[in-house]
C-alpha cells in the first residue's frame, strides 16, 4: 500500500475528514477506482465540502447503486446539493431501497417547503409557459429542486399547455419516464392532440429500436465519404426523434423514406400542402420547431 493511501485510511478511521479527503484526492488523481471514489466522497461530505463531494460522486454514479450503504451516501450527497428530483430518479431503479432513504427524502422535502423562496420557485416552474425558450429551460432545471409532489402537479399542467415549448414538454416526459411513476399523464404531442400515457410504461429514448434503425439507415445512405455532412444530419435526426418522443414509431413508420426526405430536404418540397402525417408534413413541422428553437 502506498504512503498516501495509508495516511488517508488512518485519517478516515480517526474521522479526520479534511486530511482524509486531501490524501484520498491525491490517490484518486493518480489511481482512480470505485473504492477510492466512495472513500473520497464520504470524506468530502463529512468535511462539509458538499459541491466537491457531488462532483466526484458523479464520476462514478452507478457504483453507488450496488448496495444500501452507498445508496444512502448518494442520497445524502444529492439532497445536500438540493437535487431532490435526481434523488427520486436514481432511487426509482433500486430494487430494495433502505428505509432510511425514504426518511431522508421526506425530511429534505419538508425542509424545502419551509424555505422562504419555495412558493416563488414553485410558481415559476408551474407557470413557465409564459417565458422564452431559454427561460423555460432554466425554470425546468430549477424545477428539479422541488419536492416530487409539487413537481408532478406542475408537470401535469405543463404537459398539456400549448405555450410550453415542445422540447420542454419532451424533457418533462423523459423525467416522468425516469421516475417510473405509475400515474397516468395527459400529454400534448406535436400534432396538437392530447394523449394519455402511464409514466412507468414509457420507454426511454435509448430503448426505442426505431432510433437505432434510423441512425443505421443514415449511415448506410451517406457512407463514410463525407463525415462532416453526416454529423450534421446525425444531429438533426437526433433532435427530430427527441421532439417526436414518445411516439417515434407512430410518426416514422418507414425509416428509409424518412432519411431520404431528411437528406433531400427542400429539393422535394412542393407548393401544395403535404398530406397530414406524411413524411413531408412531419419534416416541415419539425423544421419549423427547430428554426424557432435556434432563432433562425
Amino acid at each position: 500500500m502506498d504512503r498516501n493511501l495509508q495516511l488517508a485510511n488512518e485519517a478516515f478511521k480517526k474521522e479526520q475528514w479534511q486530511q482524509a479527503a486531501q490524501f484520498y484526492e491525491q490517490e484518486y488523481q493518480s489511481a482512480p477506482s470505485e473504492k477510492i471514489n466512495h472513500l473520497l466522497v464520504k470524506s468530502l461530505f463529512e468535511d462539509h465540502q458538499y459541491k466537491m463531494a457531488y462532483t466526484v460522486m458523479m464520476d462514478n454514479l452507478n457504483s453507488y447503486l450496488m448496495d444500501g450503504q452507498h445508496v444512502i451516501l448518494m442520497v445524502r450527497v444529492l439532497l445536500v446539493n438540493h437535487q431532490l428530483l435526481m434523488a427520486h430518479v436514481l432511487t426509482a431503479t433500486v430494487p430494495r431501497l433502505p428505509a432510511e432513504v425514504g426518511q431522508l427524502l421526506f425530511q429534505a422535502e419538508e425542509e424545502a417547503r419551509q424555505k422562504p423562496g419555495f412558493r416563488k420557485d414553485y410558481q415559476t416552474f408551474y407557470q413557465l409557459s409564459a417565458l422564452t425558450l431559454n427561460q423555460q429551460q432554466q425554470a425546468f432545471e430549477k424545477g428539479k429542486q422541488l419536492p416530487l409532489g409539487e413537481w408532478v402537479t406542475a408537470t401535469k399542467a405543463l404537459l398539456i399547455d400549448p405555450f410550453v415549448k415542445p422540447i420542454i414538454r419532451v424533457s418533462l416526459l423523459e423525467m416522468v419516464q425516469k421516475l417510473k411513476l405509475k400515474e397516468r399523464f395527459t400529454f400534448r404531442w406535436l400534432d396538437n392532440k392530447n394523449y394519455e400515457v402511464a409514466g412507468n410504461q414509457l420507454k426511454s429514448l435509448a430503448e426505442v429500436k426505431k432510433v437505432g434503425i434510423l441512425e443505421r439507415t443514415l449511415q448506410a445512405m451517406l457512407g463514410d465519404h463525407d463525415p462532416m455532412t453526416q454529423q450534421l444530419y446525425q444531429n438533426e435526426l437526433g433532435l427530430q426523434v427527441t421532439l417526436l418522443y414518445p411516439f417515434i414509431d407512430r410518426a416514422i413508420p418507414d425509416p428509409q423514406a424518412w432519411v431520404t426526405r431528411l437528406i433531400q430536404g427542400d429539393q422535394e418540397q412542393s407548393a401544395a400542402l403535404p398530406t397530414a402525417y406524411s413524411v413531408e408534413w412531419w419534416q416541415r413541422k419539425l423544421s419549423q420547431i427547430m428554426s424557432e428553437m435556434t432563432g433562425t
Side-chain angles (χ1 to χ4, degrees):
M1 187 189 294
D2 67 36
R3 182 79 180 130
N4 253 352
L5 193 52
Q6 200 177 350
L7 291 168
N9 291 342
E10 284 169 12
F12 189 93
K13 281 176 194 162
K14 292 175 186 170
E15 298 186 2
Q16 295 168 343
W17 302 117
Q18 191 176 7
Q19 280 176 287
Q22 283 170 353
F23 289 125
Y24 282 132
E25 170 69 31
Q26 288 168 19
E27 185 66 22
Y28 191 61
Q29 293 297 336
S30 59
S33 69
E34 282 183 11
K35 188 169 175 58
I36 300 298
N37 181 293
H38 298 164
L39 292 164
L40 174 55
V41 167
K42 169 75 173 165
S43 304
L44 289 165
F45 175 80
E46 296 294 351
D47 194 41
H48 311 294
Q49 296 185 55
Y50 300 132
K51 280 188 178 172
M52 193 64 190
Y54 175 78
T55 304
V56 175
M57 184 177 81
M58 295 307 285
D59 282 351
N60 211 322
L61 192 58
N62 287 342
S63 69
Y64 285 81
L65 300 169
M66 300 309 167
D67 64 77
Q69 183 191 349
H70 289 103
V71 168
I72 291 167
L73 175 59
M74 175 190 75
V75 169
R76 284 183 180 279
V77 173
L78 289 169
L79 295 179
V80 81
N81 283 284
H82 315 297
Q83 298 295 327
L84 289 177
L85 211 62
M86 195 173 172
H88 281 288
V89 165
L90 288 162
T91 53
T93 62
V94 178
R96 285 190 300 279
L97 210 53
E100 193 179 332
V101 167
Q103 293 156 11
L104 287 168
L105 284 164
F106 177 80
Q107 191 181 339
E109 294 193 332
E110 283 300 298
E111 284 169 10
R113 291 184 182 104
Q114 305 307 318
K115 285 182 182 166
F118 171 72
R119 295 306 310 170
K120 185 171 174 289
D121 289 343
Y122 181 32
Q123 198 171 10
T124 303
F125 180 61
Y126 202 107
Q127 298 172 345
L128 66 71
S129 66
L131 307 170
T132 65
L133 174 59
N134 277 346
Q135 290 169 331
Q136 285 193 17
Q137 284 172 323
Q138 285 165 10
F140 167 77
E141 287 302 327
K142 194 87 166 59
K144 292 177 183 176
Q145 298 182 10
L146 291 170
L148 183 62
E150 283 82 347
W151 186 89
V152 168
T153 301
T155 292
K156 283 184 171 176
L158 293 169
L159 284 173
I160 52 172
D161 188 329
F163 298 104
V164 173
K165 302 294 183 191
I167 194 71
I168 302 296
R169 282 207 298 269
V170 165
S171 301
L172 289 165
L173 206 56
E174 286 186 304
M175 289 303 299
V176 167
Q177 183 273 321
K178 287 176 184 171
L179 286 159
K180 312 275 186 250
L181 298 171
K182 289 175 185 166
E183 292 167 72
R184 299 190 74 77
F185 290 77
T186 305
F187 168 70
R188 183 185 174 92
W189 196 38
L190 292 189
D191 60 357
N192 299 326
K193 292 180 182 173
N194 286 353
Y195 297 86
E196 200 178 82
V197 291
N200 61 351
Q201 284 171 12
L202 285 167
K203 286 180 182 176
S204 71
L205 199 55
E207 291 171 307
V208 180
K209 287 178 184 170
K210 188 67 63 75
V211 176
I213 296 167
L214 285 157
E215 286 170 356
R216 289 192 294 277
T217 306
L218 178 65
Q219 169 80 33
M221 287 177 79
L222 285 179
D224 297 319
H225 62 274
D226 191 350
M228 292 272 291
T229 306
Q230 187 176 331
Q231 190 57 54
L232 288 171
Y233 283 128
Q234 187 84 39
N235 295 346
E236 191 175 346
L237 183 62
L239 189 48
Q240 284 183 340
V241 294
T242 300
L243 288 165
L244 288 168
Y245 182 82
F247 304 132
I248 297 158
D249 288 328
R250 194 176 300 186
I252 312 177
D254 182 347
Q256 189 81 31
W258 187 273
V259 174
T260 303
R261 171 78 204 168
L262 173 69
I263 294 169
Q264 291 173 350
D266 294 338
Q267 301 164 17
E268 296 275 305
Q269 195 157 304
S270 57
L273 281 174
T275 314
Y277 300 101
S278 66
V279 174
E280 188 178 338
W281 184 87
W282 273 121
Q283 297 237 7
R284 279 195 193 186
K285 184 176 262 294
L286 288 164
S287 182
Q288 188 186 350
I289 292 167
M290 293 193 295
S291 293
E292 286 167 9
M293 282 171 67
T294 54
T296 55

